[in-house]
Amino acid sequence: MIKEKLLVSSEFFYDRIAVAYDELLTHQDLGVRELVESQFLERVSNGCVLDFGGGTGLDLEWLSRSQKLVYFLEPSVRMRSVAKDRCQGYKGYIKILDEELDFKQWKMNSHPFEPKVNGILANFAVFNCISELKLLFQSFYHITAKDSFVLATVLKPASRFHQLKYLFRAKKRSELTYSSYEGLQHVAYRYRLEDFSAAIKDLFILTAFQPVPGSDLSLLILKRK
C-alpha cells in the first residue's frame, strides 16, 4: 500500500529537511553554484546584497568575501540556524535577519534594508516556492537601488505538452510540481518566461533567461529600472 504524502508549507518542509539538506546536494548542484557565483560577481561586487531564501547559507562564504554587506534571509528557522553556525569566522559583514522576513510587508519606506541593496541572489528555485510573483518583485523594487541586479535559478518551465494539459485541467498559467522528503511534500510553481515578464513589468528589465546545463534549472537575471 502506497502511503500518501502530507502536503505542508514550504517553511515547515525546510524545517524538517534542514539537518540533511547539505548531504542531499549533488555534483551537478555544485556546478550550478559555481555558475551562479561567476554570473553574480560579473554584475555585483563590493556592494550591499541580499541572499534571499538562502537556505543553509551555502553561498555566504563567497558572498561575504566579495561584498561589503550581506543580508541573509531564510524563513525556515532550522535552515537559518545551520546558516548561522556555518558563517562563524567568515570574512565580511553578514546580517542574518530574524525579523521582518515577510516580503509582503515591505514598503518603500518600511523594510529592514538600510542601505538599500544593489544585488539580490535567490538560488535553487526560491521563486518557485512563491505564489505572488508580482508582489514579490514590487517588494524587491522597494528595497533595491536603481540599476541593481537580481539573479535567480528557477525550475525550468514544463514541456509544452504538460503546460497545455495543465491549462486545460486547471486554467492556471503555471504548472504545479512538488518537492518531497520523508513523507512530506510542498507545492512549487513551474513559472514560464511569460509569467516572469508580466510580474516584473515597469519594475525590472529581463536581461537573461537561459537553461543551466545538466540541471532542471534556468538562470534568470533582472536589472532594476
Side-chain angles (χ1 to χ4, degrees), residues 52 73 75 97 99-107 110-113 132 135-136 139:
F52 181 78
L73 188 154
L97 300 178
E99 299 177 342
E100 298 184 273
L101 304 180
D102 185 359
F103 69 85
K104 296 186 290 294
Q105 304 302 318
W106 300 343
K107 307 300 179 187
S110 178
H111 55 74
F113 308 101
E132 309 98 332
L135 182 55
L136 173 68
S139 297

Side-chain angles (χ1 to χ4, degrees), residues 17-218:
I17 202 174
V19 294
Y21 183 83
D22 292 1
E23 298 173 6
L24 299 174
L25 297 178
T26 67
H27 179 72
Q28 288 80 6
D29 294 334
L30 295 176
V32 172
R33 290 192 184 278
E34 290 175 357
L35 172 66
V36 169
E37 177 181 350
S38 65
Q39 291 290 319
F40 192 89
L41 294 182
E42 280 184 15
R43 295 163 176 82
V44 186
S45 62
N46 200 30
C48 174
V49 302
L50 167 63
D51 189 359
F52 181 78
T56 58
L58 288 167
D59 294 305
L60 281 176
E61 192 279 328
W62 65 265
L63 282 172
S64 63
R65 178 168 28 88
S66 62
Q67 309 297 330
K68 287 182 181 178
L69 168 62
V70 181
Y71 291 105
F72 180 85
L73 188 154
E74 170 51 55
S76 163
V77 174
R78 292 184 179 177
M79 296 279 272
R80 195 161 71 243
S81 177
V82 175
K84 287 179 179 179
D85 291 339
R86 166 172 275 119
C87 71
Q88 298 296 319
Y90 281 177
K91 293 182 179 179
Y93 184 57
I94 301 171
K95 183 175 182 180
I96 296 181
L97 300 178
D98 290 308
E99 299 177 342
E100 298 184 273
L101 304 180
D102 185 359
F103 69 85
K104 296 186 290 294
Q105 304 302 318
W106 300 343
K107 307 300 179 187
M108 184 63 76
N109 297 310
S110 178
H111 55 74
F113 308 101
E114 184 57 46
K116 290 185 176 182
V117 302
N118 55 355
I120 296 177
L121 175 66
N123 214 353
F124 282 89
V126 175
F127 290 172
N128 299 100
C129 297
I130 295 171
S131 60
E132 309 98 332
L133 269 188
K134 182 67 175 180
L135 182 55
L136 173 68
F137 290 116
Q138 287 174 341
S139 297
F140 279 1
Y141 187 83
H142 294 329
I143 68 171
T144 49
K146 189 178 187 301
D147 295 329
S148 298
F149 283 95
V150 177
L151 275 78
T153 48
V154 298
L155 292 174
K156 289 178 180 175
S159 67
R160 183 63 178 163
F161 170 78
H162 285 98
Q163 284 183 10
L164 289 171
K165 181 180 179 182
Y166 185 81
L167 286 167
F168 178 78
R169 182 176 73 249
K171 299 187 183 301
K172 291 187 177 181
R173 300 180 67 184
S174 56
E175 182 177 356
L176 294 178
T177 188
Y178 300 91
S179 294
S180 301
Y181 176 75
E182 292 191 347
L184 302 177
Q185 64 180 10
H186 78 89
V187 171
Y189 305 87
R190 286 190 180 269
Y191 290 117
R192 305 170 302 161
L193 175 58
E194 296 93 324
D195 299 318
F196 287 112
S197 296
I200 67 172
K201 185 178 180 182
D202 300 324
L203 303 171
F204 293 86
I205 300 167
L206 178 70
T207 66
F209 187 69
Q210 58 198 46
V212 176
S215 79
D216 189 34
L217 298 168
S218 293

